[in-house]
Every structure is written in C-alpha cells, then in structure tokens.
Amino acid sequence: SVSGPDKSRKKGWSPKTREQVKNVAVCMLDRAYIPYSRFRVGAARECAYGTVFTGCNGENASYPAGICAERNAISHAVAEGHRDFVRIVIAGRGENFCVPCGICRQVMREFCAPDDFKIYLAKSPEDYREFTLEQILPMGFGPENLEVK
Ligand code: THU
C-alpha cells in the first residue's frame, strides 16, 4: 500500500486525492515488466478509507502466465485484507486510453456495486475519462447470481 487509511475522509473523493491516485497509477507504468509486448499498464485501486493499492502488468516467458495491471492491483489489495473498493485508475501510454480487458472487468465485478464503482482511464493525470463498471460491463455476472432458491 502506498498510503494508509484516512478514516476521517470516509468515501469522499477530494480533488487532491484524485490527483494522488492518478499520479500513482501513472508512476506504476515504470514498474511494468513487459519484455514481450512492450506495452506498459499501471493501476491504482482505492479503497473506501483512502488506502491505495498498486499494480502493473507482469509478463512471462510462458505468455498466458502473465497478469494485467488491474488484477495485480486487486490481488495486492485482497492479500492485504481490503475489499471495499471505490475506484480504480488505469494508466497507459498509448494513443488510445487503455481499457480493461474482459477478464479484469469480471474480476472487478466481484467486489463492488457496478453502478457505484468508478473506473478512470488515464493517459496522464490531466488527460482521463471516467466510467462506472456498469457502463463497461453491463449485466455482469456477480456473486449474487450464484444465489439459488
Ligand atoms: N494489459 C493490462 O495490463 N491491462 C489491460 O487492461 C490490457 C492489457 C497488459 C497485458 C499484457 O502484458 C499487455 O498489456 C499487452 O496485452
């Protein structure tokens, strides 16, 4: 984690914090391990009380063993005992905004209310777009779909 919990902040999203989370995601681009694709992705996932968990993509000589930045950040948070996610920033350096792949959208769906969870796609801290998970994964299959009568 790069910042400790700030219990006084509750679920607020102050401009300062938003800048900080975007900066962290952009910084994570430098940590990407990308010998095969040369395509850098950075992610920063923020929890309800302001704790931020980072991720970058990590590739492997056995290509399918690689992991995306988003899932790396989610696993990082879950391993530290956090599941109360409110938003994720995904940073890329390409011409287009880096959108999360289908597998990462599905993993995001596990831990949030799709209408509330926000996804920021950032080319830089200044140049970004905001979406909800419901917008990019409509009618997603979540834990409640497993409930049987
Ligand atoms: N990648 C991510 O890390 N996140 C995405 O949202 C899309 C793709 C990574 C996987 C691989 O290391 C590289 O980008 C090219 O697909």
Side-chain angles (χ1 to χ4, degrees), residues 36-127:
Y36 308 108
S37 73
R38 311 306 305 169
F39 186 78
R40 290 180 188 276
V41 187
R45 200 165 169 93
E46 191 185 0
C47 302
Y49 293 107
T51 309
V52 174
F53 293 90
T54 55
C56 59
N57 52 335
E59 300 184 346
N60 191 275
S62 171
Y63 293 1
I67 186 149
C68 293
E70 298 90 322
R71 270 175 294 143
N72 190 208
I74 294 166
S75 300
H76 193 172
V78 171
E80 295 286 331
H82 292 253
R83 298 176 191 166
D84 53 348
F85 307 120
V86 294
R87 58 188 68 88
I88 188 169
V89 180
I90 304 163
R93 281 195 181 142
E95 187 114 328
N96 301 310
F97 287 102
C98 182
V99 292
C101 78
I103 298 172
C104 289
R105 293 178 201 207
Q106 181 62 36
V107 173
M108 288 177 203
R109 178 68 178 78
E110 189 70 16
F111 300 108
C112 71
D115 281 322
D116 291 338
F117 186 74
K118 297 278 184 359
I119 294 144
Y120 291 78
L121 310 181
K123 289 187 194 173
S124 72
E126 297 76 37
D127 190 5

Side-chain angles (χ1 to χ4, degrees), residues 2-42:
V2 295
S3 71
D6 175 2
K7 300 253 176 191
S8 66
R9 197 169 64 77
K10 301 255 169 77
K11 291 202 177 187
W13 180 223
S14 72
K16 187 173 169 222
T17 308
R18 182 166 61 182
E19 284 313 306
Q20 287 168 342
V21 181
K22 282 189 290 171
N23 276 319
V24 167
V26 170
C27 285
M28 289 307 292
L29 289 166
D30 290 335
R31 299 231 175 123
Y33 176 69
I34 44 136
Y36 308 108
S37 73
R38 311 306 305 169
F39 186 78
R40 290 180 188 276
V41 187

